[in-house]
Amino acid sequence: MVSSAADRPYTLRFVRHLCADPNPEGPGYREIVMPTSLDGRRKGLFHAAHPGSYARIEALALGGGGLKLAARVWPTLPGKGRQALVSIDVDGAAIRLEVGPHGGAQLRLGAETVAVDAPMLSRRWYAIEAIVDVAGGRLSVTQTPLEPVGTLVDSGRGEAKAKLRPLSGTARVLVAAALEGDDVIAHFNGKIERPRVATLNDVAIGEWDFSQGIPTQRVIDIGPQAAHGQLVNLPTRAMAGSNWTGAVHDWKSAPEQYGAIHFHSDDMGDCGWPEAFALDVPREWPSGFYAAHIKSEAGEDYIPFFVRPAKGAAKAEVAFLVPTFSYQVYSSYWRPERSVEILARARAWGALLETPGYNTQFGLSTYNYHADGSGVSITSMLRPQLDTRPRQMSLHDPAPKGSGTGRINCDSYVVDWLDRAGIAHDVLTDHDLHEEGVAALEPYRVVICAQHPEYHSLRMIEAFERFLGQGGRLMYLGGNGFYWRAEPSADAPHALEVRRAEGGIRVWATEPGESYNQFGGGYGGLLRRVGKASHKLVGIGFSTQGRHLGFPYAFTDGIRNPRVRFMTEGIESAATPGARFGDSGFMGGGAAGFELDSADPKYGTPPNALVVAKGVVIHDDYGWVNEDMLIHRHPRPREEWSCADMTFFETASGGAVFSVGSMTYVGSLPPENYGNVCARLTTNVLRRFMDPRPFA
Ligand SMILES: [Fe+2]
């Protein structure tokens, strides 16, 4: 799907990336042009993006009498412009129950408006009711606080006489937005519970119970017409309602207390653009990192995709697992200062220039807050993810010759390394792993995890466990991995949900009672909190983070252990206890940095885990992770947690795990043409892991 500003034509070609880093002094950008019949000049069309979530009910029959509209609401931005609560369009008439421009409830019908003078308070519940009395010629609206403050008047009523005509026919109903022609406008920010349309005698015509179907994108009408509706742009469900008592935290055990949906004017789901072109990937294309490169007079973009081996084709022994869950969870991270910081260098390097900072129409990342101050918990793949591209930098690297790469760009160092070492490999993605479980991993002897595989569903963790239990070998070449739970939606598979509950380094936290996922209903937050600490899986876990700087590792006595003799082949003289390595690199200038993982038996590091090297980072900017801090002092000496522990252990059935525990590690593979100690040690590990001989 392509939108081209001003309908400019563009040219299309496809490339395979061996190294996507645009740094002219970096490892060397390598793309291979992959000719297709689609290549060449194409017609461009502009398509807009329309953020803002709402519910849409296509057909509700109205009988011609008066109407009573009601909802309970928890506004988060009252006073910030007109925001629709319940909008009804019928027979040329537009009925609007809304938060008025000054924050009080109001009802509009044609030229008539009745409003409550007193504004609602932010983040408090109100019952709103409006009456359209056709026969009596009267409109009214009332606003009743459900959590009265006492000293402040935030209730009220507005009423006026009006000449009204009967309202009958098939109505279109929107909740949390309004129609204006074909446009959807006046998006509401806040929670809405149980919107209702009734007769003046209070007989329900339509009544939507949001506590039903919480994991879905459907809203259920419990009224006589069963006029169910559809949610648009992924609002947040499983939200504590006006009746939440605090006695339950899991919406599944008392759904009736979770009848609220939180809508945001900046929610984004499916852009809904038409297909611009479709490629049948030629069977002979090798598995790997690919992109569709589009270029117009105004700019260019690389749209990434990952190609697995053709069905039935021979598989390599090694699979590189592309962390597409983490890519998606991070994507569209609005960081305006970052956009400015990298612009001059991106220009000089011929890197992609667009960022989410310049394109807020595509919505936000789960690292952002919504405009109303609530954390973003849902992220969609059906939109341009402008910061998840090849040929792109993520930050202004402070190191000389540093690339400042992230995601696809730094993960391509692994591809480049494998390619130069002549090691055949396939790629597969997190999304494949979630979908297929351990079957996605089973064909491979070795699975390599990338620079920052931070987010996983429970199914994915279980797949890793089974893979290791069957003798699989796992190389984890990153940091802050296997940290948060991210769950996809069954009926909106383009969406992932992250609830930032309890501990964890995080930019926002869940509200009380709202830590269970709407997708699947599991407990959200750190994988550690659901018994899946990364220490158990890969021997180490996230324990410190700081600025994007890189520091060396030093070998420990562990490197002399005969169990890991294979690691030091050809680098025996460099691999001695105390010797430093990984002191150069294109990410921060060293192999240990940014976000680091250390071993800790308390959280599940296996007793046979051997730390062969440590990248200790004692630096003012490197702090602890808050889930380890129970009092004002850290329970362990700093050297034990402010470090990357390079760890090896054997598993049942002859398998093994190798973990590096640092986010800048892969940037230290390329120096010396992938011939430095860091790269050679990593290659040694991979070659031994590819060897079918079981580990003792
Ligand atoms: Fe992270």
Side-chain angles (χ1 to χ4, degrees), residues 26 33 70 116 128 168 211 220 306 344 367 381 504 531 571 654 666:
V33 178
V116 176
I128 309 294
S168 69
S211 75
I220 302 300
F306 304 95
Y367 283 80
M381 198 194 271
I571 49 169
V666 297

Side-chain angles (χ1 to χ4, degrees), residues 330 367 452 454-455 480 484 595 663:
Y330 267 97
Y367 283 80
H452 193 30
E454 184 177 1
Y455 293 85
N480 180 218
W484 294 101
E595 300 186 8
M663 274 180 51

Side-chain angles (χ1 to χ4, degrees), residues 532-605:
K532 300 292 183 190
S534 63
H535 305 73
K536 293 182 188 169
L537 188 71
V538 293
I540 52 178
F542 185 38
S543 56
T544 185
Q545 134 168 42
R547 275 169 56 203
H548 188 268
L549 300 169
F551 303 85
Y553 284 77
F555 287 108
T556 66
D557 288 340
I559 198 65
R560 286 230 168 104
N561 193 306
R563 286 161 60 206
V564 295
R565 189 166 294 142
F566 62 89
M567 283 188 194
T568 57
E569 220 167 278
I571 49 169
E572 290 87 353
S573 58
T576 55
R580 286 156 46 129
F581 66 102
D583 49 4
S584 66
F586 295 105
M587 300 180 76
F594 207 10
E595 300 186 8
L596 307 178
D597 305 341
S598 58
D600 190 342
K602 180 180 155 193
Y603 293 122
T605 300

Side-chain angles (χ1 to χ4, degrees), residues 361-383:
Q361 71 274 25
F362 300 133
L364 298 162
S365 157
T366 69
Y367 283 80
N368 289 124
Y369 290 93
H370 288 289
D372 71 358
S374 54
V376 177
S377 65
I378 300 177
T379 173
S380 166
M381 198 194 271
L382 294 181
R383 56 176 175 162

Side-chain angles (χ1 to χ4, degrees), residues 16-18 281-290 306-310 314-316 318-320 322 415 424-428 444:
R16 179 177 166 221
H17 277 114
L18 294 174
V281 175
R283 205 180 155 80
E284 63 277 11
W285 282 18
S287 178
F289 284 40
Y290 287 81
F306 304 95
V307 173
R308 296 175 74 182
K315 302 257 195 329
V318 177
F320 180 36
V322 187
V415 176
H425 61 279
D426 296 338
V427 306
L428 69 155
Y444 301 101

Side-chain angles (χ1 to χ4, degrees), residues 32 93 111 115 198 200 333 374 476 568 579 585 605:
I32 300 169
L200 290 185
Y333 193 168
S374 54
Y476 160 44
T568 57
T605 300

